[in-house]
Amino acid sequence: MTGERRKFTREGEERRREALISAALELVAEGGIALATVRSIAERAGVTPGLIRHYFQSKEELTRAAYRALMDRMTAQNLAVLDSAPPCAMSRLAAFVAASLRPPVVDAGRLSRWAGFIPTLRRDPAMRDIHEATYLHYRDLLAGLIADLPDPPPQDRIQQLSIACNGLIDGLWLEGCALPENFGPDELSRIGVAGVSAILGRDLTPYVPPPAQVAGKEPA
């Protein structure tokens, strides 16, 4: 019984922590980091400001956790496509790139949240470290998928190629989130896969999986 109570408590605390992070992300999307005060986060989450301090020592710690959660969720949703991708390395890379440029990763709300944190990177070294770590994690995933290709590029070229591919994907992601009406159905992912194909000198376009049907509201 004691073990069950402990598990229930941990799960409850984790849900409350996630609710605080989600509330912070909503407020950042609506008005930037300045709007996400301890009081406003508490009101949005339906708790007292004092409860926030049970989980986070400061507003800065909470907003850093929110930024990390935002980036980790996007990467996790991106990675999820590999669970159902064929084992062929070309298929896995094509699926990963396409997922980076499709909903739920491409989403106007996600752009608002991400942009709300960017002004803090210069003045908050801890936030910059989170930004760097999540960027490098995504880039390393790309590098690993490139390295798995048949007759892969030389090792000293793989990082350069992953940086170039990441830059292309980031630019398309920004435009797709900001101006979704400017792109036809699944056009963004097709452009992205074609661009990565050109960078790598490998035609990935025949390996792109069809868009998955996404139901319901995605997490922040």
Side-chain angles (χ1 to χ4, degrees):
M1 290 296 292
T2 301
E4 290 179 1
R5 282 199 299 271
R6 286 177 180 170
K7 180 180 179 182
F8 178 79
T9 300
R10 283 197 302 271
E11 289 176 349
E13 289 191 347
E14 187 60 29
R15 283 196 298 271
R16 284 192 290 272
R17 190 176 188 277
E18 288 298 313
L20 293 172
I21 287 173
S22 295
L25 288 171
E26 289 174 6
L27 289 162
V28 169
E30 292 169 14
I33 203 81
L35 187 63
T37 64
V38 169
R39 183 174 297 278
S40 61
I41 292 169
E43 289 177 355
R44 183 64 59 93
V47 301
T48 64
L51 185 63
I52 292 180
R53 294 184 178 88
H54 174 73
Y55 296 96
F56 302 97
Q57 294 181 359
S58 63
K59 172 195 167 179
E60 289 73 23
E61 184 178 313
L62 171 51
T63 52
R64 289 168 192 152
Y67 185 59
R68 182 181 291 278
L70 173 69
M71 303 306 289
D72 286 349
R73 288 171 187 177
M74 284 197 289
T75 301
Q77 288 176 326
N78 205 156
L79 272 172
V81 300
L82 298 183
D83 293 338
S84 57
C88 148
M90 297 281 279
S91 295
R92 289 175 64 79
L93 179 56
F96 185 82
V97 174
S100 301
L101 297 169
R102 287 171 170 168
V105 178
V106 174
D107 176 79
R110 285 267 171 80
L111 176 59
S112 298
R113 295 177 182 94
W114 175 81
F117 288 103
I118 295 306
T120 68
L121 298 185
R122 288 187 177 274
R123 65 175 183 266
D124 185 348
M127 189 72 85
R128 185 184 181 280
D129 289 345
I130 294 169
H131 181 79
E132 180 180 32
T134 53
Y135 161 74
L136 291 176
H137 178 51
Y138 181 87
R139 196 189 75 187
D140 289 347
L141 290 171
L142 264 177
L145 291 166
I146 293 169
D148 288 341
L149 294 172
D151 190 21
Q155 190 61 41
D156 61 351
R157 281 279 293 150
I158 289 176
Q159 180 171 312
Q160 295 175 348
L161 291 168
S162 66
I163 291 170
C165 292
N166 188 43
L168 169 71
I169 292 166
D170 276 354
L172 290 171
W173 179 83
L174 283 168
E175 293 301 328
C177 291
L179 300 169
E181 67 279 0
N182 281 19
F183 299 93
D186 209 36
E187 182 180 9
L188 204 67
S189 69
R190 287 185 277 111
I191 293 171
V193 172
V196 168
S197 296
I199 291 170
L200 299 179
R202 313 286 183 96
D203 187 8
L204 300 171
T205 56
Y207 299 91
V208 179
Q213 295 297 316
V214 181
K217 184 180 178 181
E218 293 300 324

mmCIF file of all heavy atoms in Angstrom, residues 82-127:
data_model
loop_
_atom_site.group_PDB
_atom_site.id
_atom_site.type_symbol
_atom_site.label_atom_id
_atom_site.label_comp_id
_atom_site.label_asym_id
_atom_site.label_seq_id
_atom_site.Cartn_x
_atom_site.Cartn_y
_atom_site.Cartn_z
ATOM 1 N N LEU A 82 9.962 7.435 -36.511
ATOM 2 C CA LEU A 82 10.921 6.366 -36.764
ATOM 3 C C LEU A 82 10.434 5.028 -36.226
ATOM 4 O O LEU A 82 10.903 3.976 -36.656
ATOM 5 C CB LEU A 82 12.278 6.722 -36.142
ATOM 6 C CG LEU A 82 12.958 7.973 -36.699
ATOM 7 C CD1 LEU A 82 14.324 8.170 -36.052
ATOM 8 C CD2 LEU A 82 13.097 7.900 -38.223
ATOM 9 N N ASP A 83 9.484 5.059 -35.296
ATOM 10 C CA ASP A 83 8.955 3.807 -34.753
ATOM 11 C C ASP A 83 8.247 2.987 -35.818
ATOM 12 O O ASP A 83 8.230 1.751 -35.746
ATOM 13 C CB ASP A 83 7.980 4.090 -33.604
ATOM 14 C CG ASP A 83 8.666 4.698 -32.393
ATOM 15 O OD1 ASP A 83 9.891 4.532 -32.263
ATOM 16 O OD2 ASP A 83 7.976 5.341 -31.580
ATOM 17 N N SER A 84 7.644 3.671 -36.793
ATOM 18 C CA SER A 84 6.899 2.959 -37.840
ATOM 19 C C SER A 84 7.583 3.045 -39.208
ATOM 20 O O SER A 84 7.047 2.534 -40.194
ATOM 21 C CB SER A 84 5.474 3.525 -37.950
ATOM 22 O OG SER A 84 5.511 4.922 -38.207
ATOM 23 N N ALA A 85 8.756 3.681 -39.268
ATOM 24 C CA ALA A 85 9.456 3.799 -40.550
ATOM 25 C C ALA A 85 10.101 2.473 -40.938
ATOM 26 O O ALA A 85 10.517 1.700 -40.058
ATOM 27 C CB ALA A 85 10.521 4.889 -40.458
ATOM 28 N N PRO A 86 10.194 2.178 -42.216
ATOM 29 C CA PRO A 86 10.903 0.964 -42.643
ATOM 30 C C PRO A 86 12.358 1.002 -42.173
ATOM 31 O O PRO A 86 12.907 2.074 -41.912
ATOM 32 C CB PRO A 86 10.817 1.035 -44.177
ATOM 33 C CG PRO A 86 9.650 1.930 -44.456
ATOM 34 C CD PRO A 86 9.630 2.935 -43.349
ATOM 35 N N PRO A 87 12.999 -0.145 -42.043
ATOM 36 C CA PRO A 87 14.380 -0.180 -41.534
ATOM 37 C C PRO A 87 15.410 0.431 -42.478
ATOM 38 O O PRO A 87 16.524 0.744 -42.062
ATOM 39 C CB PRO A 87 14.643 -1.674 -41.324
ATOM 40 C CG PRO A 87 13.668 -2.369 -42.229
ATOM 41 C CD PRO A 87 12.457 -1.492 -42.276
ATOM 42 N N CYS A 88 15.048 0.598 -43.730
ATOM 43 C CA CYS A 88 15.970 1.178 -44.717
ATOM 44 C C CYS A 88 16.406 2.575 -44.271
ATOM 45 O O CYS A 88 15.585 3.416 -43.887
ATOM 46 C CB CYS A 88 15.278 1.203 -46.070
ATOM 47 S SG CYS A 88 15.712 2.527 -47.171
ATOM 48 N N ALA A 89 17.710 2.853 -44.325
ATOM 49 C CA ALA A 89 18.261 4.130 -43.845
ATOM 50 C C ALA A 89 17.724 5.314 -44.639
ATOM 51 O O ALA A 89 17.501 6.400 -44.074
ATOM 52 C CB ALA A 89 19.787 4.095 -43.920
ATOM 53 N N MET A 90 17.525 5.153 -45.937
ATOM 54 C CA MET A 90 16.981 6.241 -46.752
ATOM 55 C C MET A 90 15.560 6.577 -46.308
ATOM 56 O O MET A 90 15.186 7.754 -46.198
ATOM 57 C CB MET A 90 16.985 5.843 -48.227
ATOM 58 C CG MET A 90 18.367 5.605 -48.807
ATOM 59 S SD MET A 90 19.247 7.122 -49.231
ATOM 60 C CE MET A 90 18.493 7.497 -50.833
ATOM 61 N N SER A 91 14.766 5.545 -46.018
ATOM 62 C CA SER A 91 13.389 5.757 -45.569
ATOM 63 C C SER A 91 13.355 6.454 -44.216
ATOM 64 O O SER A 91 12.532 7.340 -43.982
ATOM 65 C CB SER A 91 12.650 4.419 -45.475
ATOM 66 O OG SER A 91 12.517 3.821 -46.746
ATOM 67 N N ARG A 92 14.245 6.068 -43.321
ATOM 68 C CA ARG A 92 14.254 6.653 -41.984
ATOM 69 C C ARG A 92 14.633 8.138 -42.027
ATOM 70 O O ARG A 92 14.016 8.963 -41.356
ATOM 71 C CB ARG A 92 15.213 5.868 -41.079
ATOM 72 C CG ARG A 92 14.673 4.486 -40.732
ATOM 73 C CD ARG A 92 15.677 3.653 -39.944
ATOM 74 N NE ARG A 92 15.993 4.225 -38.643
ATOM 75 C CZ ARG A 92 15.228 4.120 -37.577
ATOM 76 N NH1 ARG A 92 14.080 3.467 -37.650
ATOM 77 N NH2 ARG A 92 15.591 4.643 -36.423
ATOM 78 N N LEU A 93 15.626 8.470 -42.825
ATOM 79 C CA LEU A 93 16.013 9.877 -42.937
ATOM 80 C C LEU A 93 14.907 10.687 -43.599
ATOM 81 O O LEU A 93 14.575 11.797 -43.137
ATOM 82 C CB LEU A 93 17.316 9.997 -43.726
ATOM 83 C CG LEU A 93 17.837 11.430 -43.951
ATOM 84 C CD1 LEU A 93 18.006 12.172 -42.634
ATOM 85 C CD2 LEU A 93 19.154 11.398 -44.728
ATOM 86 N N ALA A 94 14.318 10.165 -44.664
ATOM 87 C CA ALA A 94 13.229 10.880 -45.346
ATOM 88 C C ALA A 94 12.049 11.101 -44.400
ATOM 89 O O ALA A 94 11.455 12.183 -44.370
ATOM 90 C CB ALA A 94 12.780 10.104 -46.582
ATOM 91 N N ALA A 95 11.704 10.081 -43.612
ATOM 92 C CA ALA A 95 10.587 10.209 -42.678
ATOM 93 C C ALA A 95 10.883 11.244 -41.601
ATOM 94 O O ALA A 95 10.015 12.035 -41.221
ATOM 95 C CB ALA A 95 10.295 8.849 -42.029
ATOM 96 N N PHE A 96 12.108 11.265 -41.112
ATOM 97 C CA PHE A 96 12.499 12.216 -40.067
ATOM 98 C C PHE A 96 12.430 13.647 -40.581
ATOM 99 O O PHE A 96 11.894 14.540 -39.907
ATOM 100 C CB PHE A 96 13.905 11.887 -39.585
ATOM 101 C CG PHE A 96 14.370 12.712 -38.428
ATOM 102 C CD1 PHE A 96 14.000 12.394 -37.135
ATOM 103 C CD2 PHE A 96 15.191 13.813 -38.614
ATOM 104 C CE1 PHE A 96 14.429 13.155 -36.043
ATOM 105 C CE2 PHE A 96 15.630 14.577 -37.545
ATOM 106 C CZ PHE A 96 15.250 14.244 -36.254
ATOM 107 N N VAL A 97 12.963 13.888 -41.767
ATOM 108 C CA VAL A 97 12.934 15.235 -42.340
ATOM 109 C C VAL A 97 11.497 15.668 -42.605
ATOM 110 O O VAL A 97 11.101 16.798 -42.280
ATOM 111 C CB VAL A 97 13.772 15.295 -43.639
ATOM 112 C CG1 VAL A 97 13.609 16.654 -44.320
ATOM 113 C CG2 VAL A 97 15.245 15.032 -43.337
ATOM 114 N N ALA A 98 10.702 14.789 -43.196
ATOM 115 C CA ALA A 98 9.313 15.135 -43.493
ATOM 116 C C ALA A 98 8.542 15.461 -42.215
ATOM 117 O O ALA A 98 7.768 16.428 -42.171
ATOM 118 C CB ALA A 98 8.639 13.990 -44.244
ATOM 119 N N ALA A 99 8.755 14.679 -41.155
ATOM 120 C CA ALA A 99 8.048 14.929 -39.895
ATOM 121 C C ALA A 99 8.431 16.266 -39.287
ATOM 122 O O ALA A 99 7.625 16.895 -38.594
ATOM 123 C CB ALA A 99 8.333 13.805 -38.904
ATOM 124 N N SER A 100 9.648 16.723 -39.537
ATOM 125 C CA SER A 100 10.091 18.032 -39.037
ATOM 126 C C SER A 100 9.305 19.175 -39.659
ATOM 127 O O SER A 100 9.286 20.288 -39.111
ATOM 128 C CB SER A 100 11.581 18.240 -39.348
ATOM 129 O OG SER A 100 12.387 17.240 -38.779
ATOM 130 N N LEU A 101 8.666 18.900 -40.791
ATOM 131 C CA LEU A 101 8.007 19.953 -41.560
ATOM 132 C C LEU A 101 6.524 19.651 -41.780
ATOM 133 O O LEU A 101 5.922 20.123 -42.742
ATOM 134 C CB LEU A 101 8.737 20.133 -42.897
ATOM 135 C CG LEU A 101 10.195 20.593 -42.737
ATOM 136 C CD1 LEU A 101 10.946 20.495 -44.056
ATOM 137 C CD2 LEU A 101 10.259 22.010 -42.186
ATOM 138 N N ARG A 102 5.965 18.876 -40.867
ATOM 139 C CA ARG A 102 4.539 18.562 -40.882
ATOM 140 C C ARG A 102 3.966 18.816 -39.491
ATOM 141 O O ARG A 102 4.697 18.786 -38.505
ATOM 142 C CB ARG A 102 4.324 17.090 -41.242
ATOM 143 C CG ARG A 102 4.573 16.727 -42.695
ATOM 144 C CD ARG A 102 4.552 15.206 -42.880
ATOM 145 N NE ARG A 102 4.547 14.838 -44.290
ATOM 146 C CZ ARG A 102 4.759 13.608 -44.743
ATOM 147 N NH1 ARG A 102 4.989 12.618 -43.887
ATOM 148 N NH2 ARG A 102 4.735 13.362 -46.042
ATOM 149 N N PRO A 103 2.652 19.025 -39.421
ATOM 150 C CA PRO A 103 2.027 19.031 -38.093
ATOM 151 C C PRO A 103 2.249 17.663 -37.435
ATOM 152 O O PRO A 103 2.331 16.653 -38.139
ATOM 153 C CB PRO A 103 0.546 19.258 -38.398
ATOM 154 C CG PRO A 103 0.530 19.877 -39.764
ATOM 155 C CD PRO A 103 1.688 19.277 -40.500
ATOM 156 N N PRO A 104 2.385 17.581 -36.134
ATOM 157 C CA PRO A 104 2.214 18.670 -35.161
ATOM 158 C C PRO A 104 3.460 19.492 -34.898
ATOM 159 O O PRO A 104 3.411 20.440 -34.132
ATOM 160 C CB PRO A 104 1.797 17.916 -33.900
ATOM 161 C CG PRO A 104 2.535 16.619 -34.006
ATOM 162 C CD PRO A 104 2.527 16.260 -35.471
ATOM 163 N N VAL A 105 4.615 19.121 -35.517
ATOM 164 C CA VAL A 105 5.837 19.891 -35.270
ATOM 165 C C VAL A 105 5.697 21.296 -35.848
ATOM 166 O O VAL A 105 6.073 22.289 -35.220
ATOM 167 C CB VAL A 105 7.066 19.159 -35.851
ATOM 168 C CG1 VAL A 105 8.331 19.988 -35.632
ATOM 169 C CG2 VAL A 105 7.219 17.777 -35.207
ATOM 170 N N VAL A 106 5.164 21.393 -37.060
ATOM 171 C CA VAL A 106 4.887 22.709 -37.657
ATOM 172 C C VAL A 106 3.533 23.178 -37.147
ATOM 173 O O VAL A 106 2.508 22.569 -37.432
ATOM 174 C CB VAL A 106 4.891 22.627 -39.197
ATOM 175 C CG1 VAL A 106 4.463 23.951 -39.805
ATOM 176 C CG2 VAL A 106 6.281 22.250 -39.694
ATOM 177 N N ASP A 107 3.540 24.264 -36.395
ATOM 178 C CA ASP A 107 2.322 24.730 -35.744
ATOM 179 C C ASP A 107 2.524 26.190 -35.361
ATOM 180 O O ASP A 107 3.560 26.549 -34.782
ATOM 181 C CB ASP A 107 2.053 23.878 -34.501
ATOM 182 C CG ASP A 107 0.861 24.358 -33.708
ATOM 183 O OD1 ASP A 107 -0.270 24.059 -34.126
ATOM 184 O OD2 ASP A 107 1.067 25.035 -32.693
ATOM 185 N N ALA A 108 1.558 27.043 -35.683
ATOM 186 C CA ALA A 108 1.685 28.472 -35.401
ATOM 187 C C ALA A 108 1.856 28.743 -33.913
ATOM 188 O O ALA A 108 2.619 29.636 -33.509
ATOM 189 C CB ALA A 108 0.469 29.223 -35.929
ATOM 190 N N GLY A 109 1.165 27.989 -33.082
ATOM 191 C CA GLY A 109 1.302 28.167 -31.641
ATOM 192 C C GLY A 109 2.702 27.842 -31.158
ATOM 193 O O GLY A 109 3.239 28.505 -30.258
ATOM 194 N N ARG A 110 3.305 26.824 -31.757
ATOM 195 C CA ARG A 110 4.670 26.462 -31.388
ATOM 196 C C ARG A 110 5.626 27.607 -31.716
ATOM 197 O O ARG A 110 6.547 27.898 -30.954
ATOM 198 C CB ARG A 110 5.080 25.205 -32.150
ATOM 199 C CG ARG A 110 4.450 23.917 -31.628
ATOM 200 C CD ARG A 110 5.380 23.258 -30.615
ATOM 201 N NE ARG A 110 4.744 22.153 -29.932
ATOM 202 C CZ ARG A 110 4.606 20.922 -30.430
ATOM 203 N NH1 ARG A 110 4.973 20.664 -31.662
ATOM 204 N NH2 ARG A 110 4.085 19.973 -29.693
ATOM 205 N N LEU A 111 5.435 28.238 -32.856
ATOM 206 C CA LEU A 111 6.293 29.370 -33.220
ATOM 207 C C LEU A 111 6.156 30.495 -32.206
ATOM 208 O O LEU A 111 7.149 31.097 -31.787
ATOM 209 C CB LEU A 111 5.948 29.868 -34.619
ATOM 210 C CG LEU A 111 6.708 31.117 -35.088
ATOM 211 C CD1 LEU A 111 8.211 30.877 -35.096
ATOM 212 C CD2 LEU A 111 6.227 31.544 -36.479
ATOM 213 N N SER A 112 4.932 30.811 -31.803
ATOM 214 C CA SER A 112 4.710 31.880 -30.821
ATOM 215 C C SER A 112 5.413 31.569 -29.510
ATOM 216 O O SER A 112 6.013 32.454 -28.879
ATOM 217 C CB SER A 112 3.211 32.072 -30.574
ATOM 218 O OG SER A 112 2.544 32.469 -31.755
ATOM 219 N N ARG A 113 5.325 30.317 -29.091
ATOM 220 C CA ARG A 113 5.980 29.944 -27.839
ATOM 221 C C ARG A 113 7.494 30.054 -27.969
ATOM 222 O O ARG A 113 8.170 30.636 -27.120
ATOM 223 C CB ARG A 113 5.571 28.522 -27.448
ATOM 224 C CG ARG A 113 4.096 28.379 -27.121
ATOM 225 C CD ARG A 113 3.724 26.934 -26.823
ATOM 226 N NE ARG A 113 2.301 26.811 -26.557
ATOM 227 C CZ ARG A 113 1.387 26.493 -27.464
ATOM 228 N NH1 ARG A 113 1.741 26.256 -28.711
ATOM 229 N NH2 ARG A 113 0.101 26.409 -27.136
ATOM 230 N N TRP A 114 8.022 29.481 -29.032
ATOM 231 C CA TRP A 114 9.477 29.506 -29.248
ATOM 232 C C TRP A 114 9.991 30.939 -29.327
ATOM 233 O O TRP A 114 10.978 31.292 -28.661
ATOM 234 C CB TRP A 114 9.795 28.741 -30.531
ATOM 235 C CG TRP A 114 11.235 28.784 -30.919
ATOM 236 C CD1 TRP A 114 12.248 28.006 -30.419
ATOM 237 C CD2 TRP A 114 11.837 29.630 -31.895
ATOM 238 N NE1 TRP A 114 13.440 28.331 -31.024
ATOM 239 C CE2 TRP A 114 13.208 29.320 -31.935
ATOM 240 C CE3 TRP A 114 11.336 30.624 -32.754
ATOM 241 C CZ2 TRP A 114 14.096 29.973 -32.793
ATOM 242 C CZ3 TRP A 114 12.213 31.273 -33.599
ATOM 243 C CH2 TRP A 114 13.579 30.951 -33.626
ATOM 244 N N ALA A 115 9.317 31.770 -30.113
ATOM 245 C CA ALA A 115 9.767 33.149 -30.288
ATOM 246 C C ALA A 115 9.721 33.932 -28.981
ATOM 247 O O ALA A 115 10.539 34.831 -28.751
ATOM 248 C CB ALA A 115 8.912 33.850 -31.344
ATOM 249 N N GLY A 116 8.769 33.594 -28.112
ATOM 250 C CA GLY A 116 8.663 34.292 -26.839
ATOM 251 C C GLY A 116 9.869 34.099 -25.936
ATOM 252 O O GLY A 116 10.162 34.960 -25.091
ATOM 253 N N PHE A 117 10.570 32.993 -26.114
ATOM 254 C CA PHE A 117 11.741 32.724 -25.274
ATOM 255 C C PHE A 117 13.038 33.305 -25.834
ATOM 256 O O PHE A 117 13.995 33.502 -25.075
ATOM 257 C CB PHE A 117 11.930 31.209 -25.112
ATOM 258 C CG PHE A 117 10.917 30.552 -24.227
ATOM 259 C CD1 PHE A 117 9.865 29.827 -24.766
ATOM 260 C CD2 PHE A 117 11.015 30.646 -22.850
ATOM 261 C CE1 PHE A 117 8.936 29.204 -23.952
ATOM 262 C CE2 PHE A 117 10.087 30.024 -22.021
ATOM 263 C CZ PHE A 117 9.037 29.300 -22.573
ATOM 264 N N ILE A 118 13.105 33.539 -27.133
ATOM 265 C CA ILE A 118 14.367 33.898 -27.779
ATOM 266 C C ILE A 118 15.035 35.129 -27.167
ATOM 267 O O ILE A 118 16.263 35.136 -26.999
ATOM 268 C CB ILE A 118 14.161 34.059 -29.300
ATOM 269 C CG1 ILE A 118 13.762 32.715 -29.917
ATOM 270 C CG2 ILE A 118 15.423 34.580 -29.974
ATOM 271 C CD1 ILE A 118 14.703 31.568 -29.624
ATOM 272 N N PRO A 119 14.285 36.204 -26.789
ATOM 273 C CA PRO A 119 14.970 37.365 -26.207
ATOM 274 C C PRO A 119 15.738 37.061 -24.921
ATOM 275 O O PRO A 119 16.617 37.843 -24.533
ATOM 276 C CB PRO A 119 13.823 38.349 -25.933
ATOM 277 C CG PRO A 119 12.748 37.955 -26.895
ATOM 278 C CD PRO A 119 12.848 36.468 -26.989
ATOM 279 N N THR A 120 15.425 35.953 -24.260
ATOM 280 C CA THR A 120 16.105 35.648 -22.998
ATOM 281 C C THR A 120 17.468 34.997 -23.206
ATOM 282 O O THR A 120 18.254 34.901 -22.253
ATOM 283 C CB THR A 120 15.247 34.701 -22.136
ATOM 284 O OG1 THR A 120 15.173 33.407 -22.768
ATOM 285 C CG2 THR A 120 13.848 35.258 -21.938
ATOM 286 N N LEU A 121 17.766 34.540 -24.418
ATOM 287 C CA LEU A 121 18.981 33.752 -24.627
ATOM 288 C C LEU A 121 20.252 34.550 -24.352
ATOM 289 O O LEU A 121 21.236 34.020 -23.841
ATOM 290 C CB LEU A 121 19.013 33.190 -26.051
ATOM 291 C CG LEU A 121 17.875 32.237 -26.433
ATOM 292 C CD1 LEU A 121 18.108 31.667 -27.818
ATOM 293 C CD2 LEU A 121 17.719 31.118 -25.416
ATOM 294 N N ARG A 122 20.243 35.837 -24.680
ATOM 295 C CA ARG A 122 21.443 36.648 -24.481
ATOM 296 C C ARG A 122 21.670 36.994 -23.012
ATOM 297 O O ARG A 122 22.812 37.115 -22.564
ATOM 298 C CB ARG A 122 21.366 37.932 -25.306
ATOM 299 C CG ARG A 122 21.538 37.720 -26.800
ATOM 300 C CD ARG A 122 21.626 39.059 -27.546
ATOM 301 N NE ARG A 122 21.858 38.857 -28.953
ATOM 302 C CZ ARG A 122 23.064 38.701 -29.503
ATOM 303 N NH1 ARG A 122 24.135 38.740 -28.742
ATOM 304 N NH2 ARG A 122 23.191 38.534 -30.802
ATOM 305 N N ARG A 123 20.598 37.171 -22.270
ATOM 306 C CA ARG A 123 20.768 37.621 -20.884
ATOM 307 C C ARG A 123 20.717 36.494 -19.861
ATOM 308 O O ARG A 123 21.001 36.728 -18.680
ATOM 309 C CB ARG A 123 19.709 38.674 -20.535
ATOM 310 C CG ARG A 123 18.277 38.179 -20.541
ATOM 311 C CD ARG A 123 17.316 39.261 -20.061
ATOM 312 N NE ARG A 123 15.940 38.821 -19.987
ATOM 313 C CZ ARG A 123 15.053 38.971 -20.945
ATOM 314 N NH1 ARG A 123 15.410 39.578 -22.086
ATOM 315 N NH2 ARG A 123 13.807 38.544 -20.792
ATOM 316 N N ASP A 124 20.350 35.300 -20.274
ATOM 317 C CA ASP A 124 20.240 34.181 -19.336
ATOM 318 C C ASP A 124 21.104 33.021 -19.841
ATOM 319 O O ASP A 124 20.682 32.251 -20.705
ATOM 320 C CB ASP A 124 18.776 33.746 -19.216
ATOM 321 C CG ASP A 124 18.578 32.655 -18.166
ATOM 322 O OD1 ASP A 124 19.585 32.080 -17.692
ATOM 323 O OD2 ASP A 124 17.422 32.363 -17.809
ATOM 324 N N PRO A 125 22.320 32.868 -19.299
ATOM 325 C CA PRO A 125 23.211 31.796 -19.763
ATOM 326 C C PRO A 125 22.603 30.406 -19.624
ATOM 327 O O PRO A 125 22.850 29.530 -20.468
ATOM 328 C CB PRO A 125 24.444 31.947 -18.864
ATOM 329 C CG PRO A 125 24.425 33.376 -18.412
ATOM 330 C CD PRO A 125 22.968 33.723 -18.283
ATOM 331 N N ALA A 126 21.791 30.192 -18.582
ATOM 332 C CA ALA A 126 21.176 28.874 -18.403
ATOM 333 C C ALA A 126 20.182 28.581 -19.524
ATOM 334 O O ALA A 126 20.096 27.446 -20.011
ATOM 335 C CB ALA A 126 20.485 28.799 -17.045
ATOM 336 N N MET A 127 19.430 29.605 -19.948
ATOM 337 C CA MET A 127 18.502 29.423 -21.057
ATOM 338 C C MET A 127 19.267 29.166 -22.356
ATOM 339 O O MET A 127 18.868 28.326 -23.175
ATOM 340 C CB MET A 127 17.605 30.652 -21.203
ATOM 341 C CG MET A 127 16.478 30.473 -22.192
ATOM 342 S SD MET A 127 15.179 29.360 -21.606
ATOM 343 C CE MET A 127 14.177 30.509 -20.647
#
